[in-house]
Amino acid sequence: MDSAQGLSKPAASRSGTVAKLLAKGGSISFLINAAGMGLALLMQIVLARLLGAAGYGTYAFVTTVTTFLVFPAKLGFDTTIVRLVSAHKAENAWPLIKGLMRRANQIGFVLSLTVMLIGLAVIAWRHEGMTNAQTAAYAVGLITIPLLTLATLRQSALQALKDVLFAQMPEKIIRPLLTIGLLLLAVYAIGMEANAGVAMLCFAVSVGVSYLIGAVVLKARIGGQTALVKPQYETRKWLNLSVSLMINGGMYLILGQLNVLLMGMMESETQSGFFSAAVRLATLVSFAMTAINMTAAPLLSETYAKGDWKKLQQVCTTSGRAGFTFAAVIFIAFAIGGRPLLGLFGSEFTAAYPALVLIAAGQLFGAFCGQTGTLATMTGYQKTLTRALGAATALNVALSLALIPQLGMTGAGIASFCSSICWNAAMAVLIKRKFGVVTPVWTPSLRLK
């Protein structure tokens, strides 16, 4: 289904509608993400300056470990909610929405509590050789897992309902603001020592507050529709779908964060902190696409369900071009001014500049390939995505193990770049063959047979 060379009036009208939908939701999401990215960057700089290279390395390593542990706790239900709630809402199937949300929260809470308790037991058993600040950082990080899990599920529900503002504001705006404010208050007003444990405690409090705000908003959004209906459950179907989606989510997580963990295990937590700063900066390259996908993902699901292939192509083309344009600008900025930006974290962090450019280049290529992973996930072809991500994950791990001992952070950056090229290029080809939809931007005449 190649993009139309000459749009009829209905097609042109449809294209304009798609653009308006993406512009309305995407612009709100873009602004929130822009503010959120700025605050996240500010938070990382404040943390690096206050904690020092070693303390920041511990904080970055612990938050990465926590992110990995939240992943099995949510069991893929976050993506399932985005995909199914939007479809159920279009069908006015509120009993299914209520049942899905209740079951997802029940399973997520039990699993996250289990993960938290196991993690705390491990820390209690193996804390010898760790400083008090390190022990506190790990313990507090583990305690946040249940709240982080439930917050992710709540965010997914609001995204599916197209409430872009409140789907993101608690985590992207309120959480970093509170973390920064509480840390500065703890250090300068109360006189506490600036270490990783105190920083994680401030983060944990901000997680709790942002979760409560988001939960209240979600109840206000759907409480009227779900209060009087009896929940309907399709637990086995939901579990089968969620586990499949969880596999892909795990591979995304590995591709994005595994190198940070490997740097900490194979080099040091300090080196992991340097590399983590590069990873956090590099995510700015793709953040416009992430913002747009808050609106595009449920729209892709709805459009596919209706069998409107032309609109599906238009959603991919419009969102892809907008995301890539921004990605190109940010990549150029990093290529030119990456060292001074890393220097904001501290002079030692400039050693991560080659890794920053490599990771950002991989993100840029992913933005060029467009709506590959999102389209496959929202249309039920997650198994195709699984194969591509599996190959890329294996490549990432192999290259990381081979290159990090020799090249350090640069080796980890090469592994990230190569794996990003691998799965995005493969998915662009596979999607063209399966759907006839061209996802790479500005190549409407491309033939991928």
Side-chain angles (χ1 to χ4, degrees), residues 47 49-52 54-55 131-134 136 182-202:
L47 287 167
R49 290 290 185 175
L50 285 178
L51 306 182
T131 66
N132 290 335
Q134 287 175 318
L182 289 171
L183 182 58
L184 293 175
L185 180 67
V187 173
Y188 293 109
I190 301 177
M192 299 177 71
E193 180 185 355
N195 59 43
V198 172
M200 283 303 303
L201 180 61
C202 295

Short mmCIF file of all heavy atoms in Angstrom, two decimals, residues 47 49-52 54-55 131-134 136 182-202:
data_model
loop_
_atom_site.label_atom_id
_atom_site.label_comp_id
_atom_site.label_asym_id
_atom_site.label_seq_id
_atom_site.Cartn_x
_atom_site.Cartn_y
_atom_site.Cartn_z
N LEU A 47 22.00 16.42 40.50
CA LEU A 47 22.45 15.22 41.19
C LEU A 47 23.96 15.00 41.01
O LEU A 47 24.67 14.70 41.98
CB LEU A 47 21.69 14.00 40.66
CG LEU A 47 20.23 13.87 41.10
CD1 LEU A 47 19.53 12.81 40.26
CD2 LEU A 47 20.13 13.53 42.58
N ARG A 49 26.24 17.19 40.30
CA ARG A 49 27.00 18.23 40.99
C ARG A 49 27.00 18.03 42.50
O ARG A 49 28.02 18.23 43.17
CB ARG A 49 26.42 19.61 40.65
CG ARG A 49 26.65 20.04 39.20
CD ARG A 49 28.12 20.35 38.98
NE ARG A 49 28.36 20.88 37.63
CZ ARG A 49 29.54 21.32 37.21
NH1 ARG A 49 30.58 21.27 38.03
NH2 ARG A 49 29.69 21.78 35.99
N LEU A 50 25.86 17.66 43.06
CA LEU A 50 25.76 17.51 44.51
C LEU A 50 26.39 16.22 45.01
O LEU A 50 27.05 16.19 46.05
CB LEU A 50 24.29 17.55 44.95
CG LEU A 50 23.60 18.91 44.96
CD1 LEU A 50 22.13 18.76 45.37
CD2 LEU A 50 24.30 19.86 45.91
N LEU A 51 26.19 15.13 44.26
CA LEU A 51 26.66 13.82 44.72
C LEU A 51 28.09 13.51 44.33
O LEU A 51 28.72 12.64 44.93
CB LEU A 51 25.74 12.71 44.17
CG LEU A 51 24.24 12.84 44.42
CD1 LEU A 51 23.50 11.64 43.86
CD2 LEU A 51 23.96 13.01 45.90
N GLY A 52 28.61 14.20 43.31
CA GLY A 52 29.92 13.87 42.79
C GLY A 52 29.84 12.69 41.84
O GLY A 52 28.80 12.03 41.73
N ALA A 54 31.18 9.64 41.88
CA ALA A 54 30.94 8.32 42.47
C ALA A 54 29.50 8.20 42.98
O ALA A 54 28.82 7.19 42.74
CB ALA A 54 31.92 8.08 43.61
N GLY A 55 29.02 9.22 43.68
CA GLY A 55 27.65 9.19 44.21
C GLY A 55 26.62 9.17 43.10
O GLY A 55 25.63 8.44 43.17
N THR A 131 28.80 0.75 51.23
CA THR A 131 28.70 1.84 52.19
C THR A 131 27.25 1.97 52.65
O THR A 131 26.32 1.43 52.03
CB THR A 131 29.16 3.17 51.56
OG1 THR A 131 28.25 3.52 50.51
CG2 THR A 131 30.56 3.04 50.99
N ASN A 132 27.04 2.72 53.73
CA ASN A 132 25.68 2.94 54.21
C ASN A 132 24.83 3.65 53.16
O ASN A 132 23.64 3.35 53.00
CB ASN A 132 25.71 3.76 55.50
CG ASN A 132 26.27 2.98 56.67
OD1 ASN A 132 26.22 1.74 56.68
ND2 ASN A 132 26.81 3.68 57.66
N ALA A 133 25.44 4.59 52.44
CA ALA A 133 24.71 5.33 51.40
C ALA A 133 24.30 4.41 50.26
O ALA A 133 23.18 4.51 49.74
CB ALA A 133 25.57 6.48 50.87
N GLN A 134 25.19 3.49 49.88
CA GLN A 134 24.86 2.55 48.81
C GLN A 134 23.74 1.60 49.25
O GLN A 134 22.80 1.35 48.50
CB GLN A 134 26.10 1.75 48.41
CG GLN A 134 27.13 2.54 47.62
CD GLN A 134 28.38 1.73 47.35
OE1 GLN A 134 28.89 1.02 48.24
NE2 GLN A 134 28.89 1.82 46.13
N ALA A 136 21.45 2.12 51.52
CA ALA A 136 20.20 2.89 51.60
C ALA A 136 19.64 3.15 50.21
O ALA A 136 18.42 3.07 49.99
CB ALA A 136 20.46 4.21 52.33
N LEU A 182 13.17 18.58 46.93
CA LEU A 182 13.39 17.85 48.17
C LEU A 182 14.87 17.63 48.45
O LEU A 182 15.31 17.71 49.60
CB LEU A 182 12.66 16.50 48.12
CG LEU A 182 11.13 16.55 48.18
CD1 LEU A 182 10.54 15.18 47.91
CD2 LEU A 182 10.68 17.06 49.55
N LEU A 183 15.64 17.36 47.40
CA LEU A 183 17.08 17.15 47.59
C LEU A 183 17.77 18.43 48.05
O LEU A 183 18.58 18.41 48.98
CB LEU A 183 17.71 16.64 46.30
CG LEU A 183 19.21 16.32 46.36
CD1 LEU A 183 19.50 15.28 47.43
CD2 LEU A 183 19.74 15.86 45.01
N LEU A 184 17.43 19.53 47.41
CA LEU A 184 18.01 20.82 47.83
C LEU A 184 17.59 21.18 49.25
O LEU A 184 18.39 21.69 50.04
CB LEU A 184 17.58 21.93 46.85
CG LEU A 184 18.14 21.81 45.43
CD1 LEU A 184 17.55 22.91 44.54
CD2 LEU A 184 19.66 21.90 45.43
N LEU A 185 16.33 20.88 49.59
CA LEU A 185 15.84 21.14 50.95
C LEU A 185 16.58 20.27 51.95
O LEU A 185 17.00 20.75 53.02
CB LEU A 185 14.34 20.85 51.01
CG LEU A 185 13.65 21.06 52.37
CD1 LEU A 185 13.65 22.54 52.73
CD2 LEU A 185 12.22 20.53 52.33
N ALA A 186 16.77 18.99 51.62
CA ALA A 186 17.44 18.07 52.54
C ALA A 186 18.89 18.47 52.78
O ALA A 186 19.38 18.40 53.92
CB ALA A 186 17.38 16.65 51.98
N VAL A 187 19.57 18.92 51.72
CA VAL A 187 21.00 19.22 51.84
C VAL A 187 21.24 20.60 52.46
O VAL A 187 22.05 20.74 53.38
CB VAL A 187 21.68 19.12 50.46
CG1 VAL A 187 23.13 19.60 50.53
CG2 VAL A 187 21.63 17.68 49.94
N TYR A 188 20.54 21.61 51.95
CA TYR A 188 20.85 22.99 52.35
C TYR A 188 20.01 23.50 53.52
O TYR A 188 20.47 24.35 54.29
CB TYR A 188 20.68 23.92 51.15
CG TYR A 188 21.72 23.67 50.08
CD1 TYR A 188 21.36 23.10 48.87
CD2 TYR A 188 23.05 23.98 50.29
CE1 TYR A 188 22.31 22.85 47.88
CE2 TYR A 188 24.01 23.75 49.32
CZ TYR A 188 23.63 23.18 48.11
OH TYR A 188 24.58 22.93 47.15
N ALA A 189 18.80 22.99 53.69
CA ALA A 189 17.96 23.46 54.80
C ALA A 189 18.06 22.55 56.02
O ALA A 189 18.16 23.03 57.15
CB ALA A 189 16.50 23.56 54.34
N ILE A 190 18.06 21.26 55.79
CA ILE A 190 18.11 20.31 56.91
C ILE A 190 19.55 19.96 57.27
O ILE A 190 19.86 19.61 58.40
CB ILE A 190 17.30 19.04 56.57
CG1 ILE A 190 15.85 19.43 56.27
CG2 ILE A 190 17.34 18.03 57.70
CD1 ILE A 190 14.98 18.27 55.84
N GLY A 191 20.45 20.05 56.29
CA GLY A 191 21.86 19.76 56.54
C GLY A 191 22.23 18.30 56.39
O GLY A 191 23.26 17.86 56.91
N MET A 192 21.43 17.53 55.65
CA MET A 192 21.76 16.12 55.43
C MET A 192 22.92 16.00 54.45
O MET A 192 23.14 16.89 53.62
CB MET A 192 20.52 15.38 54.88
CG MET A 192 19.34 15.39 55.83
SD MET A 192 17.86 14.58 55.13
CE MET A 192 18.38 12.87 55.16
N GLU A 193 23.63 14.89 54.54
CA GLU A 193 24.75 14.66 53.62
C GLU A 193 24.22 14.37 52.22
O GLU A 193 23.25 13.62 52.05
CB GLU A 193 25.58 13.48 54.11
CG GLU A 193 26.77 13.16 53.22
CD GLU A 193 27.50 11.90 53.65
OE1 GLU A 193 27.15 11.35 54.71
OE2 GLU A 193 28.42 11.48 52.91
N ALA A 194 24.84 14.96 51.22
CA ALA A 194 24.44 14.72 49.83
C ALA A 194 25.06 13.40 49.37
O ALA A 194 26.24 13.34 49.02
CB ALA A 194 24.91 15.87 48.94
N ASN A 195 24.28 12.35 49.39
CA ASN A 195 24.76 11.05 48.92
C ASN A 195 23.65 10.34 48.16
O ASN A 195 22.52 10.82 48.08
CB ASN A 195 25.29 10.19 50.08
CG ASN A 195 24.24 9.93 51.14
OD1 ASN A 195 23.08 9.63 50.84
ND2 ASN A 195 24.64 10.05 52.41
N ALA A 196 23.97 9.18 47.61
CA ALA A 196 23.01 8.45 46.77
C ALA A 196 21.78 8.01 47.55
O ALA A 196 20.67 7.99 47.02
CB ALA A 196 23.70 7.24 46.14
N GLY A 197 21.95 7.67 48.83
CA GLY A 197 20.82 7.23 49.64
C GLY A 197 19.81 8.34 49.84
O GLY A 197 18.59 8.12 49.73
N VAL A 198 20.28 9.54 50.16
CA VAL A 198 19.38 10.69 50.35
C VAL A 198 18.69 11.04 49.03
O VAL A 198 17.49 11.35 49.00
CB VAL A 198 20.17 11.90 50.89
CG1 VAL A 198 19.29 13.16 50.91
CG2 VAL A 198 20.70 11.61 52.29
N ALA A 199 19.45 10.98 47.94
CA ALA A 199 18.86 11.29 46.62
C ALA A 199 17.75 10.30 46.28
O ALA A 199 16.69 10.68 45.77
CB ALA A 199 19.94 11.26 45.55
N MET A 200 17.97 9.01 46.55
CA MET A 200 16.95 8.01 46.27
C MET A 200 15.73 8.20 47.16
O MET A 200 14.59 7.97 46.74
CB MET A 200 17.51 6.60 46.45
CG MET A 200 18.40 6.11 45.31
SD MET A 200 17.59 6.11 43.68
CE MET A 200 16.17 5.08 43.98
N LEU A 201 15.93 8.63 48.40
CA LEU A 201 14.81 8.89 49.30
C LEU A 201 13.94 10.03 48.76
O LEU A 201 12.70 9.94 48.77
CB LEU A 201 15.33 9.24 50.70
CG LEU A 201 14.26 9.53 51.76
CD1 LEU A 201 13.36 8.31 51.96
CD2 LEU A 201 14.92 9.94 53.08
N CYS A 202 14.58 11.08 48.27
CA CYS A 202 13.84 12.20 47.67
C CYS A 202 13.08 11.74 46.43
O CYS A 202 11.93 12.14 46.20
CB CYS A 202 14.80 13.33 47.31
SG CYS A 202 15.61 14.11 48.74
#
